[in-house]
Amino acid sequence: MTLPEAFFFKCPLKINCGSHALDHLPVELAAVGARTPLILANGDPDDKKRLKAVIDAFRTSGLTLGVYDRITGRVQPELMPVLASVYRDGGCDSLIAVGSGAVVDMAKCLNATLAGRDPAAFEDSQGNDAVETAALAPMMLVATPGGNGDEATGYVSDGQRRLKASALTPAAAFIDPAIMKRTDDRELAEGALIALAHGVESFLDEAGSPMGRAYAHTAIGLIVKYLPMALRKENRRSSICAVVNGQVAAGCAFSCTSTDICHQLGVRLASFPDLSFGFGLSVLLPHMVDYVGKAAPQRAGELLYPLTGEDTYAITAADLKISRVMALLWEFFDAVGGELACTIPSSLAEAGVDGKQIETLLSQAADGPLAQCAAHVITAARSKLFR
């Protein structure tokens, strides 16, 4: 590993994982002087059972709880005044987000609202914190399947924009096998594929820090090993728990990554019908590895380590590492698709993206800071198969 001349890495998140991890919630709140948390969750039947497990963790704590469990699957800016009133009228002093996606985004946006700020105002033009974190309420995350790692970071959606405000990163994440059993397989796989792409991008980041790379290494290894096991119902709870840990680790790494070319292209692909964000990233990811491999073969070849472990990495010739990485990625996507009884596309053509849409993607990417990389990825992913 080559140490960059200068790098930035910040990860304020504390992770509590394992059996009875939820029991540490009152302790972590007490550590920051909080005694009246407002718990946010959605109304899904499975999440209601998870919410009950969270509430049970406070049974002997003596803390007063506020609960709002009617958040839908999308961010609702119009709900912010209501939630702010619930928080203030209930005398709440902290937040607990139970779930992923919109629930966590709503909790982060609520925290910004309570501080009297727009989420975009929490960082200056250089990406530095522009607001003291003391102005914010302590926030805890109860991580559940279906997330993609953004939940554990300062990334937040306000319903229109995806913003990065590191001050809004939760103080702690709780990953408990007790709430992992009831899970939608497609939702679990979708979030894990997104997190894997984020982990790989972070691992390949030329300007990335050694610490960020360590998080990315962990994320890649956990997701690749345990997602197929979770989908096969093999040691279901512990396997899902490992995948969620991988998503959280990927989020921690990706929050300090200087480039996100695969992510940005995936967002544009997700606007096309019948192609999910996770599946779109899976189409693009091997081609990004191929591009980095041509410019920095050693760095791209080192991806073999988290994918297979130290023994296989050590015995694989240097000039074969990149091709082996790409083959392993497709093997992984095939395994996931097989468990989901569907096919994860291996090219844009197979994904149903037509020539006109591809030309649109190329024109959109032409003005970006990494236009050459984007053009290579799109062109290579057009119809080329690595299988």
Side-chain angles (χ1 to χ4, degrees), residues 186-276:
R186 180 63 181 259
E187 184 180 50
L188 174 68
E190 174 75 12
L193 291 174
I194 296 170
L196 176 64
H198 288 172
V200 171
E201 287 209 81
S202 302
F203 192 90
L204 296 177
D205 183 13
E206 185 177 11
S209 71
M211 288 69 76
R213 218 174 189 219
Y215 273 90
H217 182 119
T218 299
I220 295 164
L222 287 174
I223 292 170
V224 168
K225 178 178 180 179
Y226 288 101
L227 179 59
M229 292 173 60
L231 296 176
R232 291 195 299 266
K233 312 297 189 292
E234 185 178 335
N235 297 321
R236 178 75 162 173
R237 291 191 186 187
S238 59
S239 296
I240 295 176
C241 197
V243 172
V244 174
N245 269 282
Q247 292 168 349
V248 169
C252 293
F254 194 62
S255 63
C256 294
T257 298
S258 62
T259 60
D260 60 350
I261 187 66
C262 217
H263 176 92
Q264 292 298 330
L265 291 175
V267 169
R268 290 168 180 155
L269 277 178
S271 65
F272 300 146
D274 303 322
L275 183 61
S276 70

Side-chain angles (χ1 to χ4, degrees), residues 24-334:
H24 293 273
L25 260 168
V27 178
E28 296 295 343
L29 286 169
V32 294
R35 296 193 57 82
T36 313
L38 173 61
I39 303 175
L40 299 182
N42 67 32
D44 180 87
D46 288 338
D47 281 331
K48 281 188 176 294
K49 294 177 181 178
R50 295 179 178 127
L51 175 60
K52 183 180 182 301
V54 172
I55 294 173
D56 286 346
F58 289 90
R59 185 171 295 173
T60 61
S61 68
L63 274 61
T64 302
L65 305 180
V67 178
Y68 188 95
D69 61 353
R70 299 179 183 178
I71 295 176
T72 65
R74 64 177 183 86
V75 176
Q76 299 169 278
E78 67 276 9
L79 191 58
M80 283 302 147
V82 175
L83 293 177
S85 295
V86 170
Y87 184 95
R88 294 187 179 110
D89 294 347
C92 297
D93 57 14
S94 52
L95 294 165
I96 300 175
V98 181
S100 59
V103 172
V104 182
D105 284 329
M106 290 288 284
K108 292 175 181 178
C109 288
L110 174 60
N111 211 355
T113 299
L114 294 168
R117 297 295 186 105
D118 181 279
F122 279 83
E123 291 193 340
D124 61 23
S125 58
Q126 282 74 47
N128 302 310
D129 290 344
V131 175
E132 290 291 333
T133 55
L136 297 166
M139 178 179 161
M140 306 293 169
L141 167 67
V142 177
T144 62
N148 59 33
D150 274 6
E151 295 83 2
T153 72
Y155 282 111
V156 55
S157 171
D158 64 358
Q160 295 181 325
R161 304 165 294 176
R162 183 176 187 261
L163 305 166
K164 184 180 179 184
S166 59
L168 295 174
T169 302
F174 299 82
I175 307 171
D176 195 318
I179 60 172
M180 299 295 171
K181 183 178 180 180
R182 298 178 181 275
T183 304
D184 178 85
D185 285 350
R186 180 63 181 259
E187 184 180 50
L188 174 68
E190 174 75 12
L193 291 174
I194 296 170
L196 176 64
H198 288 172
V200 171
E201 287 209 81
S202 302
F203 192 90
L204 296 177
D205 183 13
E206 185 177 11
S209 71
M211 288 69 76
R213 218 174 189 219
Y215 273 90
H217 182 119
T218 299
I220 295 164
L222 287 174
I223 292 170
V224 168
K225 178 178 180 179
Y226 288 101
L227 179 59
M229 292 173 60
L231 296 176
R232 291 195 299 266
K233 312 297 189 292
E234 185 178 335
N235 297 321
R236 178 75 162 173
R237 291 191 186 187
S238 59
S239 296
I240 295 176
C241 197
V243 172
V244 174
N245 269 282
Q247 292 168 349
V248 169
C252 293
F254 194 62
S255 63
C256 294
T257 298
S258 62
T259 60
D260 60 350
I261 187 66
C262 217
H263 176 92
Q264 292 298 330
L265 291 175
V267 169
R268 290 168 180 155
L269 277 178
S271 65
F272 300 146
D274 303 322
L275 183 61
S276 70
F277 186 30
F279 280 22
L281 287 174
S282 299
V283 172
L284 301 172
L285 193 59
H287 303 286
M288 189 190 73
V289 174
D290 178 54
Y291 178 84
V292 175
K294 288 178 170 60
Q298 181 178 347
R299 190 164 78 250
E302 287 173 352
L303 262 175
L304 189 61
Y305 192 167
L307 285 170
T308 63
E310 58 185 5
D311 291 341
T312 301
Y313 176 79
I315 64 174
T316 303
D319 59 344
L320 297 178
K321 282 184 167 67
I322 296 174
S323 60
R324 184 62 179 141
V325 165
M326 293 161 64
L328 285 169
L329 286 173
W330 283 125
E331 288 175 16
F332 171 72
F333 297 145
D334 282 342

